[in-house]
Amino acid sequence: MRHDGRQVNQLRPIEVRRQFTDSSPGSVYIKAGRTTLLCTASVDLEVPPWKKHEENPSGWVTAEYNMLPGSTSPRKRRDRTKVDGRSTEIQRLIGRSLRAVVDFQALGPRTITIDCDVLEADGGTRTLGITGGFIALVDALLWLRKQDPTCDIQKILVDTVAAVSVGICEGVPLLDLNYIEDSTAEVDLNVVMTGSGQFVEIQGTAEQRTFSHDQLQKQLALAGDGIVELTRIQRDIFGENWPLDQNPSS
Amino acid sequence: MRHDGRQVNQLRPIEVRRQFTDSSPGSVYIKAGRTTLLCTASVDLEVPPWKKHEENPSGWVTAEYNMLPGSTSPRKRRDRTKVDGRSTEIQRLIGRSLRAVVDFQALGPRTITIDCDVLEADGGTRTLGITGGFIALVDALLWLRKQDPTCDIQKILVDTVAAVSVGICEGVPLLDLNYIEDSTAEVDLNVVMTGSGQFVEIQGTAEQRTFSHDQLQKQLALAGDGIVELTRIQRDIFGENWPLDQNPSS
Amino acid sequence: MRHDGRQVNQLRPIEVRRQFTDSSPGSVYIKAGRTTLLCTASVDLEVPPWKKHEENPSGWVTAEYNMLPGSTSPRKRRDRTKVDGRSTEIQRLIGRSLRAVVDFQALGPRTITIDCDVLEADGGTRTLGITGGFIALVDALLWLRKQDPTCDIQKILVDTVAAVSVGICEGVPLLDLNYIEDSTAEVDLNVVMTGSGQFVEIQGTAEQRTFSHDQLQKQLALAGDGIVELTRIQRDIFGENWPLDQNPSS
Amino acid sequence: MRHDGRQVNQLRPIEVRRQFTDSSPGSVYIKAGRTTLLCTASVDLEVPPWKKHEENPSGWVTAEYNMLPGSTSPRKRRDRTKVDGRSTEIQRLIGRSLRAVVDFQALGPRTITIDCDVLEADGGTRTLGITGGFIALVDALLWLRKQDPTCDIQKILVDTVAAVSVGICEGVPLLDLNYIEDSTAEVDLNVVMTGSGQFVEIQGTAEQRTFSHDQLQKQLALAGDGIVELTRIQRDIFGENWPLDQNPSS
Amino acid sequence: MRHDGRQVNQLRPIEVRRQFTDSSPGSVYIKAGRTTLLCTASVDLEVPPWKKHEENPSGWVTAEYNMLPGSTSPRKRRDRTKVDGRSTEIQRLIGRSLRAVVDFQALGPRTITIDCDVLEADGGTRTLGITGGFIALVDALLWLRKQDPTCDIQKILVDTVAAVSVGICEGVPLLDLNYIEDSTAEVDLNVVMTGSGQFVEIQGTAEQRTFSHDQLQKQLALAGDGIVELTRIQRDIFGENWPLDQNPSS
Amino acid sequence: MRHDGRQVNQLRPIEVRRQFTDSSPGSVYIKAGRTTLLCTASVDLEVPPWKKHEENPSGWVTAEYNMLPGSTSPRKRRDRTKVDGRSTEIQRLIGRSLRAVVDFQALGPRTITIDCDVLEADGGTRTLGITGGFIALVDALLWLRKQDPTCDIQKILVDTVAAVSVGICEGVPLLDLNYIEDSTAEVDLNVVMTGSGQFVEIQGTAEQRTFSHDQLQKQLALAGDGIVELTRIQRDIFGENWPLDQNPSS
């Protein structure tokens, strides 16, 4: 059993609140254990400069990631003169992951920006940013459809997307590492998958020792189970407002 | 009556949650109408560099202010390569205001940083940052006292502090402007006062037309009433944990 | 009596030279005691980007503030990679104050930039920047009228503007603080007023102790007298070239 | 067959020159097809600041990555005011990969910096940076051993490391993508492995469509074969100066 | 005759005021025609970081150059986020030129910073910065000697230094170009020389056409005559306070 | 004889390889002794913004200079947040020197950027950048002529250009200083000349002692001989592809 009482294949308890603030079309408070993010989705009725010369300019989805100073102890200094390398890398991952399930022609000439601001960091902020960012993205599309009923969410979203970390601690593969586990893990693997069970992104790093082909397979299996559970949570939070007909994880 | 139904001398409804996150000694969610901030207080057991050469180095309190991108519509770009002038000005105000009620010798060689991150902006973010930041500061001191029972909060805090805006809209002085009121106000006055009724800071600006001595007096009176109410809210949220003996607003 | 021999309600001796350099339409050397500024006014026949889409684009007035390295001892480092917070705050104040007396429609599609460069700093640089910046602004308008006789200065300038600091030192309210007084003042209040006696901006800060309602009133009265004197000096330096018919301070 | 005539499982021809310049302990010119890098290794007899307080400070290996402007057409602008996100991400990957085979206690209080400057970019610059960077690292250790014969390279290097990209183009898994293949690949996977066949890092990204578990396995197999070949090249270039007894890939 | 009535070998009229401000040990207002600079000299009782480890740390002289926004029309933007290449190049030239006549061992562990701020620019700002900067340097040394009578100015200054520009306009070599001449010159040559007639720096640039050996010689002769005149002005402004016994230009 | 066995008037051995990489129209590896540069020339079919409003926009040539970290020992930090003053000064010199032999009307609306990246630095990098940069420029023009046969290289290039350093070490004038000579030279003079023997740029600096008129002449003579030799090397490397009819150095 793990130091917080979880099984090796158990996610942390997740709490999600949609419309947490009123200032953005999507505004999702998402908490997994003691990791908390505010994921907001803003809609800009422009396309990025490098798409403006397309004949029928398609849309774009981008992401930014930031840790609030009070999200860690000791306090994290703000990125005020440059963005640190880790933040850049994470926000590029979040953006790529969300774009993998969006059809930009169907979205039309709009840019959706997902801001993932970490209020409290206890491991897994980047994967929770993807899982929560997708919920904010859906809310932004629901908002768009209210403005413009021709906006066809089922065409825009080709699938759902969620992410989770797995790792090997003292030789044992574990699902959804918290900070203590993450900082002692021998291997750290972030897995981004669609609701239909396809891979979007795999990032595995040997933190303290290299890993074998067999260890890789065990971690991928654990991650797959976690993604199924997270996909269910994403759908359930919308209830009957869930805009995608098909049950994506079945 | 105002467009949101308030009286001219009525504050917006205020909601406060202490210990909103677990990652900082002070963590206060504060919402006034549709303006929402997360004010965290971090404690560093060091003094700033320019105090290190003092014989008995005293402490320091500083503040940072930031608007999250999703706090406004259209989305606000992050301050990632430089801090914009407005943010700098606001965080200097918040820091000065909180320092006005702290005895640095009594605090001892510690730096407390108050981070005011705006989750949702509908006017009055800087004054709410002072009001909420003070609550986070008290929580940080309660946390410090648990670590070190010799920490004497009644000596450290020489008073309480809160802030409110007043303005003149279409000739009528109003208390606690929201965004629509603020953007059409002829005069905008931010008032920072102690619980004992002294001024800490007055910042009045003629936005559209200059103002007379008489108009100034009327606004100061409105602000004074607002501060009394805010001081009461600050005390009530702590209940019996309120660490200051005297009732500061009476 | 004060350490430099002044009465509590006495301004420092002021020296003003117009057309100090030939390279700008307005170029004013202004010295109050040992505080010296060069205030230049440049005219750009463009409007700022955010006004370009107006149908009849109106003009704009903006200001920049900078201390030369040799203006203080020890030498002040140049702001070469970022502008420090204090400079930003001051130049925003100077810009707002000058804009308060300008009718932008009457000015037409032109941007006037007032640069306040401090050659020697002994307290009160921001208020002297406003007082001297207004003189440079008038000179720029006289220059504009030579280029374009339809330029109607009496419509463009709706009033005059000047500024002065007041403070409380050892309990005594004093007018026009120099550096030694400023650095020991318990309260520091900068007042910007028009020639007609209206307030443009009030910025009062408790530096060492908070201040009462009564102390505020005494300082405002001192400041009002100082502004009358400064307004007279502004008018006298132009002699018969003063472009405003009415005597603004009477 | 591929557009440059290679088999699906064939590496590009590789040319390596050690001691390409005399100004660094390690200086490796490495060219794979039309991708060319200069990998230099510099040795600093200091440890990074955050290791200085260790009792027996261990060493560190870090990397920087940069594309020369003329390495692409159109010319790439220099990173002169900030490092772009992609460069940051790549140099973090190269650094992590090299550190995975170094024993920092055995290295002792020294920092080795591997600079990977891309002279010509035709795909696969990051993986070639790891493969060539390892050769430069070995040369730096050989140089160190000349200075200090107690430097035990077999203890410092716990394994060898190399990297290669694989991808899926039009449904076919391919080894070692060049630029045209990379830009049309549906999936792009960078694999970093040791000479002993363990994983150091896996980074797989769905560029145009998501990928299945089966496709992942096929790519990993291709990559494994490529790494065996690259490891042999790394060893052969040193000939009898190869400082590691065991044949790492067998 | 030149467009401002000068002979080809005639300097512009020069006006110098020492102690222009009281805030720096050296403060020199220097005006040549319509080019005006404020050259201040500040003294820091520290040596630069890279000299701190010397056994008997010697001193240093450095310079900074800046054009005020109002010094040109149209207004020059401030260097607030980076220093432009031209300013960097000029301040490096001024620093090198002044250092050429200073004995750093005799100066002792002090850093003198010469700030050359251009109030009005009509050509020749860099050379006037050297000529005026030297006067400010002498004043700083006179100030130092008052603080510390052992400060031996005759040992510290091994010579005097001044600078002037020459150029070729329409084939005719001219001394001391103003802006109009400078911008139409075919060749532009800045010459820095000591009072004893030695070269410190020569910077010649073909602006519109290359130049021959003979043309170079004619310009050097003109410059030599100008330097003799400038050296005399430098000495005369000090009168009997001139701290160097020998008449440097004879 | 010099420490590397050269005569006082002898250049270092020079190796040149054209088309060193395939990614730029011009790509020249040039090595003089142990100073090595990669000079690439990129062609952009645009003119710089400040030329766009010309009726028949003419072209432009610009240069950038950079030292790779491994080009010196100890390693040189990258210019990643700002360009250091020395690099800026050098790249401005290289750009000016190349522009002196280009007819921009004949070039037409194109910008050619010469990147001089130093792979190994042992003195004389800026002059070798000019000499090698000119070769890259010629290759870019040959490439342009292939694209557009109307491109008339003999009109575009009005002359050839090369550069060399001379200096005075222990009183003896030397040609083409390497690093050890350069760092002990009393005087350092960089000379840029055309193939026809005209001066383009002269930059002489007294490093340790000032220099006389006679010393200047001796250095200029040495430099002239070096330029003749370098011009011959530039022509010979092209053989029969040399696009300029006249033999520029005879």
Side-chain angles (χ1 to χ4, degrees), chain E residues 180-199:
Chain E
I180 290 183
E181 292 168 339
D182 187 58
S183 55
T184 57
E186 294 129 28
V187 179
D188 181 15
L189 185 73
N190 290 299
V191 179
V192 185
M193 292 179 78
T194 63
S196 63
Q198 292 282 103
F199 290 111

Side-chain angles (χ1 to χ4, degrees), chain A residues 63 65 90-98 116 126 129-130:
Chain A
Y65 170 92
I90 292 175
Q91 71 190 17
R92 284 162 58 91
L93 168 66
I94 298 174
R96 279 196 311 268
S97 298
L98 296 172
C116 297
R126 78 186 70 190
I130 293 167

Side-chain angles (χ1 to χ4, degrees), chain E residues 6-169:
Chain E
R6 280 189 288 154
Q7 304 299 321
V8 294
N9 65 348
Q10 192 180 348
L11 293 174
R12 290 177 284 185
I14 291 186
E15 176 189 354
V16 183
R17 299 191 220 164
R18 291 167 54 218
Q19 273 119 31
F20 186 70
T21 59
D22 291 319
S23 44
S24 303
S27 175
V28 172
Y29 168 100
I30 186 164
K31 186 177 175 78
R34 286 174 58 169
T35 290
T36 312
L37 277 81
L38 179 59
C39 303
T40 56
S42 304
V43 179
D44 184 358
L45 301 181
E46 292 242 332
V47 288
W50 43 273
K51 284 209 168 189
K52 282 197 178 149
H53 301 294
E54 292 180 3
E55 207 174 330
N56 294 306
S58 58
W60 193 242
V61 172
T62 186
E64 293 195 1
Y65 169 93
N66 185 47
M67 288 176 68
L68 264 60
S71 66
T72 59
S73 179
R75 178 180 180 271
K76 183 181 183 295
R77 290 172 79 107
R78 286 178 199 271
D79 286 341
R80 277 194 157 165
T81 52
K82 59 165 199 159
V83 189
D84 71 45
R86 181 183 165 275
S87 294
T88 307
E89 202 167 320
I90 291 176
Q91 70 190 18
R92 285 162 56 91
L93 167 66
I94 298 174
R96 279 198 310 268
S97 297
L98 295 172
R99 284 194 292 275
V101 295
V102 174
D103 178 322
F104 296 126
Q105 280 300 341
L107 176 57
R110 294 147 174 153
T111 298
I112 300 181
T113 305
I114 306 295
D115 285 286
C116 298
D117 284 90
V118 180
L119 307 187
E120 189 176 17
D122 186 38
T125 59
R126 80 186 69 190
T127 49
L128 197 61
I130 293 168
T131 303
F134 179 73
I135 301 173
L137 174 61
V138 173
D139 262 327
L141 293 174
L142 290 170
W143 176 89
L144 254 181
R145 193 168 64 184
K146 269 195 207 148
Q147 318 290 313
D148 172 5
T150 70
C151 164
D152 183 344
I153 299 180
Q154 295 198 39
K155 276 202 183 146
I156 295 172
L157 291 180
V158 300
D159 209 332
T160 68
V161 66
V164 76
S165 74
V166 284
I168 299 180
C169 295

Side-chain angles (χ1 to χ4, degrees), chain A residues 108-124:
Chain A
R110 293 148 176 152
T111 298
I112 300 181
T113 304
I114 306 295
D115 286 286
C116 297
D117 284 272
V118 180
L119 308 185
E120 191 176 16
D122 186 38

Side-chain angles (χ1 to χ4, degrees), chain B residues 33 110 113 200 214:
Chain B
R110 294 147 175 154
T113 303
V200 174
D214 181 58

Side-chain angles (χ1 to χ4, degrees), chain A residues 2-240:
Chain A
R2 293 154 80 174
H3 75 97
D4 62 356
R6 280 189 286 156
Q7 303 299 319
V8 296
N9 64 349
Q10 192 180 348
L11 293 174
R12 290 177 283 184
I14 291 187
E15 176 188 355
V16 182
R17 299 189 221 167
R18 290 167 55 219
Q19 273 119 29
F20 186 70
T21 58
D22 290 320
S23 43
S24 303
S27 174
V28 172
Y29 168 100
I30 187 164
K31 185 177 175 79
R34 286 175 57 169
T35 290
T36 311
L37 277 82
L38 177 60
C39 302
T40 57
S42 304
V43 179
D44 184 359
L45 301 180
E46 292 242 332
V47 289
W50 43 273
K51 284 209 166 190
K52 282 193 177 153
H53 303 292
E54 292 180 3
E55 206 173 331
N56 295 305
S58 59
W60 193 243
V61 172
T62 186
E64 292 195 2
Y65 170 92
N66 185 46
M67 290 176 67
L68 265 59
S71 66
T72 58
S73 179
R75 177 179 181 272
K76 183 181 183 296
R77 291 171 78 108
R78 288 177 198 272
D79 286 342
R80 279 194 154 163
T81 51
K82 57 165 202 162
V83 190
D84 72 45
R86 180 182 165 275
S87 294
T88 307
E89 201 168 322
I90 292 175
Q91 71 190 17
R92 284 162 58 91
L93 168 66
I94 298 174
R96 279 196 311 268
S97 298
L98 296 172
R99 283 193 292 274
V101 296
V102 174
D103 178 322
F104 296 125
Q105 280 299 340
L107 176 57
R110 293 148 176 152
T111 298
I112 300 181
T113 304
I114 306 295
D115 286 286
C116 297
D117 284 272
V118 180
L119 308 185
E120 191 176 16
D122 186 38
T125 59
R126 78 186 70 190
T127 50
L128 198 62
I130 293 167
T131 304
F134 179 73
I135 301 172
L137 174 61
V138 174
D139 263 327
L141 294 173
L142 289 169
W143 175 91
L144 254 181
R145 193 169 62 184
K146 270 195 207 148
Q147 317 290 313
D148 172 6
T150 71
C151 165
D152 183 344
I153 299 180
Q154 294 197 41
K155 276 203 183 144
I156 294 172
L157 290 181
V158 299
D159 208 331
T160 69
V161 66
V164 76
S165 73
V166 284
I168 299 179
C169 295
E170 298 178 16
V172 183
L174 298 178
L175 177 66
D176 190 19
L177 308 185
N178 62 21
Y179 178 73
I180 289 182
E181 293 168 339
D182 186 59
S183 55
T184 57
E186 293 129 28
V187 179
D188 181 15
L189 186 72
N190 290 298
V191 179
V192 186
M193 291 180 79
T194 64
S196 63
Q198 293 280 103
F199 290 110
V200 174
E201 187 104 19
I202 298 177
Q203 291 191 340
T205 301
E207 298 285 351
Q208 295 185 11
R209 64 181 69 175
T210 56
F211 56 105
S212 68
H213 195 264
D214 181 59
Q215 286 175 315
L216 174 62
Q217 303 306 327
K218 282 184 181 145
Q219 292 179 82
L220 291 176
L222 263 184
D225 293 346
I227 295 288
V228 170
E229 174 74 4
L230 290 165
T231 303
R232 193 191 51 72
I233 290 170
Q234 287 175 326
R235 195 185 51 226
D236 289 357
I237 190 76
F238 285 93
E240 57 183 23

